[in-house]
Amino acid sequence: MRDETRFVDRLHRDLRDVRWPEPAEIRARARRRSRRAALTAAVAVLAVMSGSAYAAAGRPVSPPPLVAAIPVSPANAAPAEIPQEALLTPRDVPLKTGVQLGETGMVEPVRVDRVLESCGRARGVPTGLPTSRYSRSQTLLWAPTDATTQHPMLTQDVYRVDPDQGRLVFGLVGLLLNACAEWRLAGSAFVEGRSVTTVDTHRWDTPVSGFAGDESVMVRHVSLAPRGQFGGKVVAAAPSVEVTMVVRVGDLVTVVATGPGAVADTVDGVRPGRGLSHAELEALGRTAARRMCAAANPGC
């Protein structure tokens, strides 16, 4: 009896010195064991199947390795994400920029001009947007005059698409421009404390195309100052001009769009004092094409 008591006391002391794993550690060990067991079982099944197949074929040689190296040519390589190097840099833009913001995405629609797309829907143009496999976007902000004012100066989206989808983008742009040379839609504005019904006029044209990459087009969007529906009096801000460039290199399509005040061209002929000329925009489109060359399939 004394020996049994001595044994129980020793067992209690030993148990106090034992370090029991935390629940999270126990679960992690269980997951690792489960993965190892599953992998072992899969390898065993593959080995049995391979051996059985060779035995059935009456081949006396040993079965080949379970994993064989398959050469992949660059043309057949799986589509990859778009590297940051495929986008324009602030140094490429002949205007002073501040902050650079960016993000990546997958299975995103290729967007060119949302207002133009709205006009197309209103006029019955089939605007089924092509879908990209991968995308990368960035926004360059104007260098702020103070810490509280930072506005978009330039946005850029680069999409990796199937070859036929890239050509479809330019076909869709052509359909939209044919249907929406001018679009007027009702709006509203506050004038002297009361809401006034207005007419907003948008116009689109293509100053130049084929200036960069495999395919390219420049789309000029003029937003005229809203006018009152009755009387035609201007009731809002001055008109503005924005430019969107669409450039394709291989399976990459980029959409470069200017923000307010980033284009030297104006409707009323009064230059804003800063902004990109059409020649500078074309040069920027060619730079965007060169940036995409290394990442495109096929490349330049």
Side-chain angles (χ1 to χ4, degrees):
M1 184 69 177
R2 185 177 304 171
D3 293 339
E4 293 178 359
T5 303
R6 191 178 301 114
F7 172 76
V8 171
D9 291 339
R10 181 179 177 184
L11 180 62
H12 279 295
R13 287 195 302 271
D14 292 343
L15 288 175
R16 283 198 302 268
D17 296 335
V18 174
R19 175 187 173 275
W20 297 102
E22 296 294 331
E25 183 178 349
I26 294 174
R27 288 193 294 270
R29 290 180 182 178
R31 285 194 297 269
R32 288 195 294 270
R33 288 173 182 173
S34 298
R35 285 195 294 268
R36 285 196 297 268
L39 180 60
T40 302
V43 171
V45 170
L46 286 173
V48 170
M49 292 176 64
S50 300
S52 300
Y54 270 77
R59 297 180 182 179
V61 297
S62 301
L66 294 177
V67 180
I70 301 175
V72 179
S73 64
N76 297 325
E81 293 186 10
I82 301 168
Q84 180 65 36
E85 292 75 19
L87 277 69
L88 294 167
T89 69
R91 293 189 300 273
D92 296 328
V93 184
L95 294 174
K96 189 176 181 181
T97 63
V99 180
Q100 180 180 9
L101 309 173
E103 61 180 357
T104 60
M106 296 179 64
V107 197
E108 297 286 344
V110 179
R111 311 304 300 260
V112 175
D113 184 325
R114 294 176 186 270
V115 182
L116 181 60
E117 293 164 13
S118 297
C119 174
R121 286 192 294 270
R123 295 191 172 174
V125 177
T127 55
L129 298 174
T131 301
S132 64
R133 298 196 297 270
Y134 295 94
S135 65
R136 185 179 285 272
S137 306
Q138 69 172 350
T139 300
L140 300 179
L141 305 181
W142 284 104
T145 54
D146 57 66
T148 61
T149 58
Q150 290 184 333
H151 305 290
M153 186 268 289
L154 193 79
T155 62
Q156 182 185 19
D157 302 297
V158 179
Y159 304 94
R160 191 181 296 280
V161 298
D162 292 328
D164 57 336
Q165 294 287 297
R167 297 181 180 89
L168 182 61
V169 172
F170 290 86
L172 178 59
V173 171
L175 290 175
L176 291 172
L177 290 172
N178 288 335
C180 296
E182 181 171 300
W183 187 39
R184 297 183 181 183
L185 68 160
S188 62
F190 279 95
V191 179
E192 298 176 353
R194 62 188 182 91
S195 179
V196 176
T197 302
T198 63
V199 175
D200 298 346
T201 302
H202 297 270
R203 294 172 181 166
W204 289 272
D205 60 67
T206 54
V208 64
S209 61
F211 56 91
D214 297 326
E215 289 182 277
S216 57
V217 64
M218 183 184 295
V219 179
R220 181 174 177 265
H221 176 201
V222 177
S223 301
L224 298 179
R227 294 179 177 271
Q229 188 174 20
F230 304 102
K233 182 180 179 180
V234 175
V235 296
S240 65
V241 177
E242 296 179 0
V243 168
T244 300
M245 294 182 293
V246 187
V247 180
R248 182 180 69 84
V249 176
D251 64 344
L252 294 183
V253 174
T254 187
V255 179
V256 181
T258 62
V263 180
D265 185 13
T266 59
V267 178
D268 52 14
V270 178
R271 290 188 175 276
R274 60 177 178 176
L276 298 168
S277 66
H278 277 199
E280 289 174 323
L281 287 167
E282 289 184 43
L284 189 61
R286 288 190 288 271
T287 301
R290 287 195 300 270
R291 291 284 183 188
M292 292 189 293
C293 277
N297 185 14
C300 301

